[in-house]
Amino acid sequence: MGRRSRHRFGAWPAAVLSAVIALTLALTGPTPARAEVTNPRQQWLRQSQAGLFLHWGMRTSPGYTSCSAWEKAVTDGGWDADYWVAEAKKLHASYLVLASFHSRLGYARAWPSAIPGSCSTKRDFLGELIDAASAQGLKVMLYMTDDPQWHAEGGHEWLDSAAYSSYKGHDVDLTTRDGFGEYSYDNFVEVMRKYPGLSGFWIDNDNDYWIDHGLYEKIRADRPGWLLSNNNEDTPIMDTVSNEQKTGMTPAYDYPQAIWTPQPRLTEACFKLPSSGAWWYSGTDSAVDQGLTLGRLISDSGSSVKSLMAETAQVNGRFPGKQEAFNNYAKTYLDKIWGSLDGTEGGGYSYGGLQPGAWNDGAHGVTTVSTADPDRHFVHVLTRPSGSTLTLRDNGYKATGVTDYRTGKKLDFRQSDGRITISGITDWDPYDTVLAVRTDGRQGIVPPGSVTASASVSASGHPASAVLDGDPQTYWDNNTTLPASVTLDLRSAKSIRYLAVNQREWSVSYARSDTEQSARIRDYQVHVSDNGRDWGSPVASGTLPSARGVRFIDIPATTKRYVRLTVNSTWAAATDTKHYRKLLLDEVRIGSAYPGSGRTTTDGGAPRIRTAR
């Protein structure tokens, strides 16, 4: 992986980013490529749940300094592209990322190249992989590094500046960032020309030479259907942000707690399957933690994050025995529950769905919701409760039936006070108990179109009205001011029972470090009013957890026209200057009534509406 680039834009809104970049490049360089948050070329990855990351090159153990010797060892060992594709399918991955042109692996190009400067094989391993993947409906992306600092890794010089200088007709030092930028630029262009079946580049950060010479503009012009993915950085021109190997979460599998890129940004979680060791094969057959790995994949799917899982291929391409054994287990395991992950988005975020996270009696998990049927939900219990009953917030959905997804067994449930309680669960899976929940739409939600919003303070371009528009690309910004409040005008007196708040997922949800903390609501108050002037004492107050997904504030039954949410503090400490006192709210919904109780289909006087997902 690599260093952070100079172009860290964080969670700026797409419109602002595009404007800034357009203005800057208009004054200093070529016309920029468009920096869309969404684009049709991304559709195949948005429909994916997982990918297989392959770090594999000359320094794969036992390591080679001769390009031809490495290629001979690979071929003599029986390397076969079909094997990688088959292993990817066991993991239900729909794409592979090949990382041989990697700074720590000898800058090996596993394909023929007319450009001298580092190892290039005579056998076209990349082309064979693209063909094998395409035959099975999978995609291939090519890893490209920006970083020459490891040019002498292991005491051997991997880059040939003299050969490249002769090829270019001028002196180029490949061990400098500018020289390597020129070299890698040429390789980007050659690959684009030779491999139209490739699906894009997975890029380890930026190089100034690329930016100054319009590399991304050229990629967009020459291969407009290709994806650009960037490691660790929210670089606007990239389609995807990859979050590399995060740890320290509780539970350990809940990888999304450490991710800071909000939907609908296309986001990967990149992690190793081996429990220890390097990203590449270093001679050790490390164990794979089944629960941790499956938990990561499932919790990522429950947040609409793609799991890019790294396995350490040996020289002959085969995975060490413990990784291969995990792949075999994962195929059998995931086959049984794949319908609860495939064709879904994460629940509790911008796509609707039940609330994820911490539930009752120590239970923890995620939810998913079908993209084809918004009334088909799945509850993934990754950590079971201490008893046989599970309770979670319904997010306004009226439940009509619950079954164990694996067995089809109907489960008893009751629904009241905004919660679904499922009882009689006996077949707990050690990793993921999947419950299928049928619903009959959302009920008791005040239609956002009948509400107006105002705020005590707003940053330019991010008004309070954004919390009602159902658009995850817009949000209210408190302009680093606390306390700050949002007032909702229902236009006439209506029943008010709760607020459902989706905060922008632009920060981690726990204190990862002094400078990476949670920009989420901590202490709050809720007031109501008949006239918008007289507010009286708060009807609700407390502390919201620093947690991802929709949060709920229940209010004693009341009928009023106005409701005001005041945020007094957030979770980020003063040491985190990026997030301190900063608050971004995507959506706020008003619940006028809880969905009906038990298995009945009566509306209980609550209006039934179909809300935007």
Side-chain angles (χ1 to χ4, degrees):
M1 303 302 188
R3 66 177 184 91
R4 291 186 181 274
S5 76
R6 66 175 183 172
H7 294 274
R8 177 159 173 74
F9 290 107
W12 288 13
V16 174
L17 285 171
S18 299
V20 170
I21 295 166
L23 176 60
T24 301
L25 288 180
L27 296 174
T28 62
T31 302
R34 291 186 62 190
E36 308 97 334
V37 172
T38 60
N39 186 280
R41 66 174 168 267
Q42 303 165 0
Q43 193 59 27
W44 69 263
L45 184 53
R46 290 189 179 276
Q47 292 174 342
S48 304
Q49 297 296 340
L52 178 58
F53 208 169
L54 299 159
H55 291 78
W56 176 77
M58 288 184 69
R59 298 197 73 244
T60 295
S61 181
Y64 298 83
T65 56
S66 164
C67 187
S68 59
W70 173 61
E71 180 176 352
K72 184 176 187 303
V74 172
T75 298
D76 290 350
W79 184 92
D80 183 355
D82 288 328
Y83 170 81
W84 277 353
V85 174
E87 295 300 296
K89 291 182 70 175
K90 291 177 184 176
L91 295 169
H92 290 257
S94 25
Y95 64 107
L96 303 95
V97 179
L98 177 61
S100 68
F101 188 66
H102 188 287
S103 56
R104 302 291 300 276
L105 286 171
Y107 301 92
R109 294 168 293 167
W111 60 90
S113 173
I115 306 167
S118 68
C119 170
S120 172
T121 59
K122 291 182 171 60
R123 182 177 173 182
D124 192 355
F125 299 101
L126 174 60
E128 290 181 41
L129 180 60
I130 293 171
D131 289 343
S134 178
Q136 295 295 318
L138 275 66
K139 306 284 188 179
V140 175
M141 296 186 68
L142 183 63
Y143 176 105
M144 298 291 277
T145 184
D146 74 317
D147 189 0
Q149 67 172 312
W150 306 101
H151 63 91
E153 178 81 344
H156 176 76
E157 178 55 65
W158 303 99
L159 299 176
D160 188 344
S161 297
Y164 182 68
S165 296
S166 176
Y167 168 78
K168 293 291 286 189
H170 61 91
D171 289 338
V172 183
D173 184 353
L174 297 186
T175 69
T176 66
R177 290 197 60 77
D178 202 51
F180 188 81
E182 183 176 353
Y183 172 60
S184 51
Y185 185 106
D186 288 347
N187 277 275
F188 274 106
V189 174
E190 183 185 59
V191 166
M192 282 194 291
R193 176 179 58 81
K194 290 181 61 176
Y195 300 102
L198 199 64
S199 293
F201 292 115
W202 202 100
I203 299 171
D204 207 346
N205 298 314
D206 271 335
N207 185 290
D208 291 345
Y209 184 94
W210 302 345
I211 297 166
D212 296 341
H213 290 79
L215 172 63
Y216 302 134
E217 290 73 24
K218 182 167 183 57
I219 294 172
R220 286 285 181 254
D222 291 359
R223 297 294 181 199
W226 284 16
L227 283 179
L228 292 175
S229 184
N230 188 240
N231 182 30
N232 291 327
E233 304 296 332
D234 192 358
T235 308
I237 193 60
M238 302 294 179
D239 294 288
T240 309
V241 182
S242 286
N243 292 256
E244 177 185 335
Q245 190 78 13
K246 308 298 184 184
T247 58
M249 293 74 69
T250 302
Y253 57 73
D254 195 2
Y255 200 114
Q257 290 184 36
I259 288 178
W260 42 263
T261 42
Q263 293 293 312
R265 196 72 161 108
L266 190 50
T267 305
E268 286 175 330
C270 181
F271 56 89
K272 299 179 292 185
L273 266 63
S275 300
S276 60
W279 289 88
W280 49 87
Y281 181 67
S282 58
T284 302
D285 186 4
S286 298
V288 179
D289 186 324
Q290 291 183 348
L292 177 63
T293 303
L294 291 170
R296 282 173 166 173
L297 191 159
I298 293 162
S299 61
D300 289 342
S301 293
S303 297
S304 297
V305 172
K306 314 307 172 186
S307 292
L308 183 54
M309 298 176 282
E311 295 206 68
T312 59
Q314 300 169 95
V315 173
N316 65 359
R318 294 192 72 90
F319 299 125
K322 292 176 183 176
Q323 293 174 49
E324 197 172 69
F326 173 79
N327 294 350
N328 292 333
Y329 176 80
K331 180 186 186 308
T332 300
Y333 187 90
L334 292 172
D335 279 351
K336 296 174 182 176
I337 63 169
W338 197 244
S340 67
L341 299 171
D342 188 34
T344 69
E345 294 286 1
Y349 298 93
S350 55
Y351 305 98
L354 308 174
Q355 186 187 32
W359 298 320
N360 65 298
D361 300 328
H364 192 95
V366 295
T367 72
T368 53
V369 56
S370 167
T371 56
D373 181 357
D375 284 327
R376 184 165 171 78
H377 304 258
F378 304 94
V379 178
H380 297 266
V381 187
L382 300 171
T383 299
R384 60 162 292 182
S386 56
S388 61
T389 298
L390 180 75
T391 299
L392 70 161
R393 290 296 299 236
D394 57 32
N395 203 9
Y397 290 92
K398 169 64 185 299
T400 60
V402 180
T403 58
D404 182 307
Y405 182 74
R406 284 183 174 86
T407 67
K409 175 184 175 182
K410 292 183 179 181
L411 297 172
D412 291 329
F413 72 97
R414 58 184 172 82
Q415 185 172 11
S416 63
D417 298 328
R419 293 166 176 83
I420 301 171
T421 297
I422 305 165
S423 57
I425 306 170
T426 57
D427 298 322
W428 294 104
D429 184 84
Y431 303 134
D432 181 21
T433 302
V434 185
L435 308 175
V437 180
R438 289 297 310 182
T439 66
D440 190 25
R442 275 178 165 157
Q443 299 181 6
I445 306 294
V446 177
S450 67
V451 183
T452 57
S454 59
S456 60
V457 61
S458 299
S460 177
H462 301 284
S465 58
V467 305
L468 300 171
D469 64 7
D471 183 352
Q473 295 193 57
T474 65
Y475 52 89
W476 170 67
D477 185 328
N478 76 327
N479 202 28
T480 324
T481 302
L482 291 174
S485 62
V486 172
T487 300
L488 303 174
D489 179 359
L490 284 64
R491 301 182 188 172
S492 64
K494 293 183 176 68
S495 171
I496 303 170
R497 295 304 308 271
Y498 67 91
L499 299 180
V501 182
N502 275 95
Q503 301 172 75
R504 192 156 182 81
E505 303 290 349
W506 71 292
S507 67
V508 298
S509 60
Y510 68 109
R512 182 172 171 82
S513 69
D514 286 344
T515 57
E516 192 175 9
Q517 300 195 2
S518 172
R520 289 173 172 80
I521 297 170
R522 184 170 179 171
D523 298 316
Y524 68 87
Q525 293 179 328
V526 177
H527 294 78
V528 294
S529 172
D530 289 314
N531 55 23
R533 297 185 301 275
D534 303 315
W535 294 93
S537 300
V539 294
S541 62
T543 300
L544 285 183
S546 174
R548 290 171 58 88
V550 60
R551 299 292 111 192
F552 297 91
I553 301 172
D554 291 301
I555 299 168
T558 187
T559 300
K560 299 289 182 182
R561 173 174 172 174
Y562 298 90
V563 58
R564 173 176 290 170
L565 170 63
T566 299
V567 179
N568 295 312
S569 64
T570 57
W571 284 96
T575 52
D576 187 347
T577 55
K578 178 180 178 181
H579 300 112
Y580 181 56
R581 299 174 65 85
K582 189 78 170 174
L583 178 64
L584 310 177
L585 297 188
D586 272 328
E587 301 296 324
V588 178
R589 292 181 299 278
I590 302 172
S592 62
Y594 298 116
S597 299
R599 299 178 185 272
T600 64
T601 59
T602 60
D603 290 345
R608 178 177 180 273
I609 64 169
R610 298 281 183 174
T611 59
R613 297 180 61 208

